[in-house]
C-alpha cells in the first residue's frame, strides 16, 4: 500500500532508533521474523529498491503489501518494541494481588496510564492505515487508466462471461478476442512494431520479448532456470492453444448447420475452460 510521507516518518520514529536499523533486529533475526510471520524472504532483491538497510527493506515490504498485512506487521513490531514494558506491567498486576509484595493498585494504574499515552500515536497510525486503503491506492490506478485504456478488452471480457451458459462457442471467440486486445494494447502503448499477421499467436510473439517472457530468457539463479523456462514455454503454448480452440470451437469462422451451444465444448466442460481463458 502507498503510505503518506508523515506516516512513513512516524514508522521510522517508532521503529528505527538508529539510522537504517529496525528495533533490536540483527540480520539473522530480521530474516527469521519475516520468514516466521509472513513466509517472505525480506532480503530478496525486490525489497532493496530503496536501499539495503533493514529500515529500507521494511518500507519496501509495506509498500507492496495490502493494508491488513501492514497493520499485522506494525502490531507485531509494536509488541516487540514494548516487550519489557508489557512484561513489567503484567508482573506488577500479578504482584499487586499478593500480600507478600508491596506493589499497590495505584502503582499499577500509573503504569497502565503511561502505557496508554505511549500507545496513542501508534494506535492513531494503525487506525489510519487500517481504514483508508482504497483512497491510498486510487491515484495509482487512475494513473494507469489514463495511460492505458482497456475499454475494448473490458467489452470482450464481459461478452465472454455473458455467453458462457447460453452460447459457449461465442464465449470462446470473445475470450480469444480479449487476449488479442490485451496484446494490441501493449503493442500500441509500448510502440512495438505490429506483426504482419494479427492472430493471437503472432500478437503474443510480438509482445513476448519486450515483456521479458521469451522461453530463452536468461535466468541468473540456475536452480529455478528450468522452472521459469517451463512456465514461459507454457505461456506460448497457451496462446497458440486458445487460438486453435477459437478456430475449431468458436464462432469466428461460422457454425455448422444445427450446431448451437452444444458442440465439443460441452464434452470438454466449457465452463471449466472459459473461466480460465
Amino acid at each position: 500500500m502507498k503510505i503518506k510521507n508523515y506516516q512513513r516518518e512516524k514508522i521510522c520514529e517508532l521503529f528505527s532508533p538508529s539510522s537504517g536499523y529496525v528495533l533490536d533486529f540483527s540480520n539473522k533475526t530480521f530474516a527469521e521474523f519475516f520468514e516466521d510471520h509472513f513466509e517472505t524472504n525480506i532480503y530478496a532483491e525486490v525489497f532493496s529498491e530503496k536501499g539495503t538497510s533493514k529500515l529500507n527493506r521494511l518500507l519496501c515490504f509495506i509498500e507492496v503489501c495490502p493494508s491488513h498485512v501492514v497493520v499485522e506487521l506494525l502490531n507485531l513490531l509494536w509488541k516487540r518494541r514494548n516487550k519489557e514494558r508489557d512484561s513489567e506491567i503484567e508482573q506488577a498486576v500479578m504482584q499487586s494481588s499478593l500480600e507478600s509484595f508491596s506493589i499497590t493498585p495505584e502503582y499499577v494504574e500509573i503504569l497502565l496510564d503511561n502505557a496508554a499515552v505511549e500507545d496513542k500515536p501508534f494506535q492513531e497510525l494503525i487506525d489510519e492505515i487500517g481504514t483508508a486503503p482504497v483512497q491510498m491506492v486510487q491515484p495509482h490506478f487512475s494513473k494507469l487508466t489514463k495511460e492505458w485504456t482497456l475499454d475494448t478488452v473490458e467489452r470482450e471480457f464481459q461478452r465472454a462471461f455473458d455467453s458462457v451458459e447460453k452460447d459457449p462457442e461465442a464465449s470462446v471467440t470473445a475470450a480469444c478476442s480479449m487476449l488479442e486486445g490485451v496484446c494490441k494494447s501493449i503493442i500500441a502503448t509500448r510502440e512495438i512494431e505490429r506483426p504482419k499477421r494479427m492472430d493471437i499467436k503472432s500478437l503474443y510473439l510480438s509482445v513476448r520479448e519486450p515483456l521479458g517472457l521469451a522461453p530463452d530468457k536468461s535466468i541468473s539463479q540456475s536452480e529455478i532456470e528450468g522452472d521459469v523456462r517451463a512456465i514461459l514455454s507454457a505461456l506460448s503454448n497457451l496462446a497458440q492453444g486458445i487460438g486453435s480452440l477459437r478456430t475449431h470451437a468458436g464462432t469466428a469462422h461460422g457454425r455448422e448447420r444445427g450446431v448451437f451451444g452444444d458442440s465439443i465444448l460441452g464434452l470438454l466442460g466449457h465452463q471449466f475452460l472459459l473461466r480460465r481463458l
Side-chain angles (χ1 to χ4, degrees), residues 179-196:
L179 294 178
E180 290 172 344
V182 170
C183 292
K184 289 176 181 178
S185 297
I186 294 172
I187 289 171
T189 303
R190 296 205 171 194
E191 299 181 350
I192 300 170
E193 184 179 353
R194 295 171 69 89
K196 294 180 179 180

Side-chain angles (χ1 to χ4, degrees), residues 167-169 248-251 254-265:
D167 195 352
E169 288 86 356
H248 299 139
T251 59
R255 304 179 192 263
E256 298 176 25
R257 184 180 63 179
V259 174
F260 185 81
D262 190 26
S263 67
I264 192 172
L265 285 179

